[in-house]
Amino acid sequence: MKRHLLDATDLDRADATLVLDTAAQIEQALAGREVKKLPTLRGRTVVNLFYEDSTRTRISFELAAKRLSADVINFSAKGSSVSKGESLKDTALTLEAMGADAVVIRHAASGAPHRLASWVKGSVVNAGDGTHEHPTQALLDAYTVRQRLGRLEGVRVTIVGDVLHSRVARSNVGLLHTLGAEVTLVAPPTLLPVGVGSWPAEVTYDLDAVLPKSDVVMMLRVQAERMNASFFPSAREYSRRYGLDGRRMAALPDDAIVMHPGPMNRGMEIAADVADSVRSTIVEQVANGVSTRMAVLYLLLGGSPA
Amino acid sequence: MARTSEPARSPVPGSAPSTLLAAADVARVVDRMAHQLIERAATADPGSADGGLPDLVLVGIPTRGAPLARRLAARIEAFTGTRVDVGTADITLYRDDLRLRGVRALEPTVLPDAGIDGRLVVLVDDVLFSGRSVRAALDALRDLGRPRSVQLAVLVDRGHRELPIRADFVGKNVPTSRSQQVKVHLAEIDGVDEVVVLDGEP
């Protein structure tokens, strides 16, 4: 493995498979235990550097690091020196001086983790940067698919919704392609990024046509905070054309699963009965996030000299 | 000491790999260790009709301790007709030398359904060297449950301990120099049963 995890595409097939296998062993080793804690990263320090609010990702990383016995420092931009005007570089140098072995960074600017990686000696893990990448989300999604369907090779994954703003979609397309899955993107034309034609994925506007051929349907959140232009006429129309309801779910093959990275807008991109159905993996995805992030921290930090 | 079908040559520095135990010797050593385990379990629990064996759990340390534990259990069953629980405990996440040696792929940890609480756990490994693997295994066991007591069985004890750890059951004691390597090959993993000594650090 490389020293940092910045993009899902940093991982070749062997590395990605190693992360998934390691996560599986960790999950299995901790299942049913009273003491869900391993001494692996004792004495190491992991800093969660969150410039954007994200409770679930931060808690997931925090729990992963704590279960490996690392010391965790949570740093949120709000109420810190960032609001006094401190630059990312100065913050990074401060953390470096305090001896952080790994920095988990969430930032609204695409590419911030790459810049950070050039300034610090420790490992950098991208926990979501702007509209660019969210590699650990892609890893936990791949892990969930493999757990439910038993394989990734040849699995047909349909990703539906706001691909333009979605780092989850971008990371998933890259990683799933690396792992041999076939990805189809479904979105309104206004929510597809320029250059999507060069991605290793099919693109279509017609959700109903691809559902019968999908093993996995991954619904993306409609990001109200990024809807700063008229990307679609109305929420109702979006929901009718691109929302997953019970009727659409019935068109799926019998063993197909429904995924969502959370948080959900129930009734918008996903109907409540779909989100709560047995096909939905939304709760498993959260649990798998901890195992997957433990695997990533172990593989990045376990071997590097202090 | 087990007689060898080939005379065991003492390893000479600079020589080719020398065989300490050939396949027949490995089988004989495993049989002898199985007998010792049966005897010890019976001594520990003299009142019980089956010699305390149901209390016994063999826990192999991956990679090669795991098949060794299964073999010992199979031999104990063959000798006494009593089934013995077998598990494996991966200790990688408990090692204190991860920073020095780098990460490695994890192996499964599988314990018997009945768990290890209150039972006699025998850790099984192929080579006993510094004792650090065993210490990691003891740490792992502490998280997995609370055995009544823990013993250690190794196929080869090569000396050079760095911790105060001693095996209860030893297949073969092999005096070595630190620069040598002792390799245990087992049919389940390597296609052949043998123990060889190689010169030079890995």
Side-chain angles (χ1 to χ4, degrees):
Chain A
M1 273 271 290
K2 296 183 179 170
R3 188 154 59 92
H4 308 294
L5 178 60
L6 302 174
D7 301 337
T9 42
D10 284 349
L11 299 166
D12 60 21
R13 194 168 189 155
D15 280 345
T17 309
L18 176 64
V19 175
L20 301 188
D21 289 345
T22 304
Q25 300 290 14
I26 287 176
E27 182 185 332
Q28 184 252 8
L30 290 181
R33 266 203 202 183
E34 271 175 46
V35 187
K36 288 196 191 297
K37 202 159 165 111
L38 297 159
T40 317
L41 297 182
R42 210 154 52 86
R44 301 302 194 92
T45 304
V46 176
V47 176
N48 286 326
L49 187 57
F50 276 59
Y51 283 84
E52 243 188 7
D53 293 334
S54 170
T55 310
R56 87 176 52 211
T57 305
R58 184 182 60 71
I59 291 180
S60 183
F61 268 109
E62 181 173 352
L63 195 55
K66 284 184 169 167
R67 288 206 170 152
L68 290 169
S69 301
D71 296 322
V72 183
I73 296 170
N74 286 311
F75 175 100
S76 85
K78 266 185 204 148
S80 74
S81 293
V82 174
S83 53
K84 302 175 191 163
E86 187 176 67
S87 70
L88 177 61
K89 182 166 186 177
D90 286 329
T91 306
L93 295 177
T94 306
L95 297 173
E96 176 93 0
M98 290 178 179
D101 296 296
V103 180
V104 176
I105 177 171
R106 156 72 60 105
H107 203 289
S110 305
H114 289 76
R115 296 297 289 142
L116 185 69
S118 65
W119 294 323
V120 297
K121 288 203 203 75
S123 296
V124 175
V125 181
N126 182 356
D129 58 333
T131 59
H132 177 233
E133 281 260 9
H134 194 355
T136 56
Q137 177 74 40
L139 284 164
L140 78 89
D141 287 340
Y143 181 82
T144 307
V145 172
R146 198 176 73 164
Q147 194 177 49
R148 274 282 188 117
L149 303 180
R151 68 202 160 95
L152 282 160
E153 180 78 47
V155 168
R156 294 164 302 182
V157 181
T158 302
I159 301 178
V160 188
D162 182 1
V163 177
L164 176 63
H165 297 111
S166 177
R167 49 198 176 205
V168 175
R170 208 171 298 256
S171 289
N172 261 301
V173 168
L175 185 72
L176 288 168
H177 174 71
T178 303
L179 290 166
E182 297 162 19
V183 184
T184 305
L185 298 168
V186 183
T190 48
L191 286 173
L192 283 168
V194 176
V196 73
S198 64
W199 292 18
E202 300 275 311
V203 179
T204 171
Y205 310 129
D206 187 353
L207 179 57
D208 290 301
V210 295
L211 286 179
K213 299 179 286 185
S214 305
D215 301 308
V216 177
V217 183
M218 191 180 291
M219 303 307 296
L220 300 173
R221 182 169 65 93
V222 177
Q223 305 182 43
E225 71 273 24
R226 295 191 217 270
M227 292 301 146
N228 46 6
S230 309
F231 292 109
F232 46 80
S234 73
R236 232 189 100 154
E237 171 157 344
Y238 179 88
S239 182
R240 211 169 57 235
R241 293 204 54 186
Y242 298 101
L244 191 64
D245 54 16
R247 180 185 61 79
R248 282 214 167 96
M249 189 169 70
L252 289 168
D254 286 341
D255 61 346
I257 57 172
V258 175
M259 308 180 75
H260 193 296
M264 290 180 280
N265 301 308
R266 284 175 185 253
M268 178 79 174
E269 71 268 3
I270 190 164
D273 55 335
V274 176
D276 299 328
S277 75
V278 286
R279 287 166 186 259
S280 151
T281 62
I282 295 160
V283 179
E284 285 153 69
Q285 284 170 271
V286 175
N288 292 340
V290 179
S291 317
T292 312
R293 288 174 177 126
M294 285 175 78
V296 167
L297 289 175
Y298 163 65
L299 292 170
L300 290 179
L301 284 183
S304 58
Chain B
M1 194 184 110
R3 278 170 301 151
T4 48
S5 51
E6 278 181 303
R9 288 157 289 167
S10 65
V12 183
S15 67
S18 59
T19 307
L20 277 171
L21 299 175
D25 307 320
V26 173
R28 202 177 302 115
V29 168
V30 169
D31 277 2
R32 182 160 45 77
M33 291 172 73
H35 279 299
Q36 290 171 346
L37 278 158
I38 296 166
E39 207 175 305
R40 187 75 73 91
T43 325
D45 198 356
S48 74
D50 34 30
L53 287 176
D55 240 14
L56 182 66
V57 187
L58 300 179
V59 176
I61 300 174
T63 310
R64 289 177 181 74
L68 266 181
R70 286 195 290 275
R71 282 192 198 190
L72 281 169
R75 298 312 287 157
I76 291 173
E77 187 174 352
F79 297 145
T80 64
T82 312
R83 270 189 60 86
V84 174
D85 278 344
V86 187
T88 57
D90 186 62
I91 58 163
T92 311
L93 295 167
Y94 290 87
R95 296 198 72 100
D96 60 3
D97 56 359
L98 280 173
R99 291 192 201 197
L100 309 175
R101 296 164 39 135
V103 296
R104 30 191 280 180
L106 306 185
E107 306 263 348
T109 294
V110 185
L111 290 181
D113 294 337
I116 58 172
D117 286 346
R119 303 176 77 182
L120 168 61
V121 171
V122 177
L123 289 169
V124 182
D125 204 356
D126 54 350
V127 179
L128 180 57
F129 183 21
S130 65
R132 286 177 193 270
S133 299
V134 175
R135 196 263 297 270
L138 290 171
D139 285 347
L141 278 185
R142 192 187 55 185
D143 283 355
L144 295 168
R146 188 183 181 283
R148 189 183 76 231
S149 69
V150 182
Q151 296 173 351
L152 175 63
V154 295
L155 191 65
V156 175
D157 182 347
R158 62 165 296 188
H160 303 289
R161 216 75 78 237
E162 292 164 9
L163 295 167
I165 281 170
R166 183 183 60 80
D168 300 272
F169 309 96
V170 180
K172 188 173 172 65
N173 282 298
V174 182
T176 56
S177 87
R178 265 186 182 276
S179 66
Q180 291 173 318
Q181 292 181 63
V182 176
K183 293 276 182 208
V184 171
H185 295 142
L186 294 175
E188 291 90 331
I189 294 165
D190 312 290
V192 60
D193 278 350
E194 62 175 4
V195 180
V196 295
V197 175
L198 300 134
D199 285 312
E201 309 255 359

